[in-house]
Amino acid sequence: MRQWRYKEAGFTLIEVIVTMLIAGILATIAGLGIVQGVKGYVFASENAAMTQKAELAMARMSLELRDICDVTAATSINITYNRNLLDPSCTIKFENSKIMVDSNVLADNVSDLEMTCKKADGIAWTVGNSVKDLARIDIVLKLEHTETEDEDIPDITFTTTINPRNIL
């Protein structure tokens, strides 16, 4: 009697399923790595854009407030001033998540702005005092993330101190 020998060629169904399962697991891990890399890139580019926006806003506010000669109103979120007694007054204010210089938008996506006027000894300066006593204006600016979906990312805080020249 002749014995049939089967020549084993190809793969069994179990081998194919196991191979596909392993390939799926590896693809999932690679996909998660790519997603995390893209999230990191978006976060870094957003931080760079926010930093550039904050630097521009701080530089403009410093330029505006450095040469003031009179302050007619000042709160923690706005200041009205004159840089020259002949020019009309200007206002820097925080409203509707924007910093405005008069009617022009200086920065958007702002979560908080705090301006503190102080005398040379560190005591708070108020509008009733002489502008010559105004030694510094501390500004704290907080920008919020807009492109990232994570709710636990805190606002980025920027600070600067302006020492007015108090030119009369």
Side-chain angles (χ1 to χ4, degrees):
M1 189 168 196
R2 204 172 196 200
Q3 205 173 28
W4 291 91
R5 283 195 146 185
Y6 293 103
K7 189 174 183 186
E8 293 186 21
F11 301 102
T12 65
L13 182 60
I14 292 176
E15 291 172 333
V16 171
I17 290 173
V18 168
T19 303
M20 290 178 68
L21 184 66
I22 291 171
I25 291 171
L26 291 175
T28 302
I29 292 171
L32 290 174
I34 290 171
V35 166
Q36 289 300 319
V38 169
K39 280 185 179 181
Y41 173 77
V42 168
F43 184 73
S45 64
E46 184 184 16
N47 278 346
M50 290 173 64
T51 301
Q52 186 176 19
K53 184 190 311 183
E55 285 179 358
L56 181 67
M58 293 291 205
R60 174 70 188 272
M61 287 189 285
S62 294
L63 181 66
E64 289 286 326
L65 297 174
R66 186 178 55 218
D67 294 330
I68 60 175
C69 65
D70 188 29
V71 177
T72 56
T75 66
S76 63
I77 60 170
N78 67 42
I79 186 168
T80 303
Y81 58 93
N82 292 83
R83 291 187 345 167
N84 184 326
L85 292 175
L86 302 176
D87 291 339
S89 63
C90 299
T91 301
I92 295 175
K93 61 185 171 183
F94 170 58
E95 66 179 24
N96 300 328
S97 74
K98 295 177 184 166
I99 297 176
M100 311 281 288
V101 176
D102 292 328
S103 61
N104 302 316
V105 176
L106 184 58
D108 58 354
N109 298 323
V110 178
S111 62
D112 191 24
L113 174 70
E114 184 179 333
M115 294 184 283
T116 308
C117 300
K118 295 184 179 178
K119 295 180 182 180
D121 57 6
I123 297 174
W125 179 90
T126 57
V127 175
N129 296 331
S130 170
V131 75
K132 290 269 187 199
D133 294 336
L134 179 58
R136 74 178 205 229
I137 302 170
D138 296 329
I139 298 177
V140 178
L141 171 65
K142 291 184 181 180
L143 296 178
E144 60 188 0
H145 288 272
T146 57
E147 295 181 21
T148 52
E149 294 119 19
D150 296 335
E151 297 294 327
D152 59 343
I153 297 175
D155 296 342
I156 299 179
T157 303
F158 301 92
T159 60
T160 191
T161 299
I162 302 162
N163 299 102
R165 295 178 183 161
N166 304 335
I167 300 172
L168 287 178

